[in-house]
Amino acid sequence: MAWVEGGGIRVEVTDPDPRVLPVLLQATGEDESGRGLVLLDAVARRWGVEQGAASKTVWCEVGAGEA
């Protein structure tokens, strides 16, 4: 976790598998997965994915009072 300009917080989660990038989906009421990025998109100021040679990192920035 790190502070960002404007008083926000940046959170990063790294996955050791660089091959499959996350995709923003619209889950139905019967789906058992696919809601994580929808929730992230709803609460974050901005978010993204950085792909490396041996991993990928999903990051988001939220306001300090929003975390």
Side-chain angles (χ1 to χ4, degrees), residues 9-15 20-24 37 40-41 44-52 56-62:
I9 299 170
R10 180 178 172 120
V11 178
E12 299 179 350
V13 177
T14 300
D15 180 347
V20 181
L21 296 178
V23 177
L24 184 61
L37 286 181
L40 182 67
D41 191 56
R45 289 181 180 172
R46 60 188 200 123
W47 65 274
V49 180
E50 297 173 358
Q51 187 174 19
K56 64 180 168 281
T57 300
V58 178
W59 60 268
C60 70
E61 294 177 0
V62 295

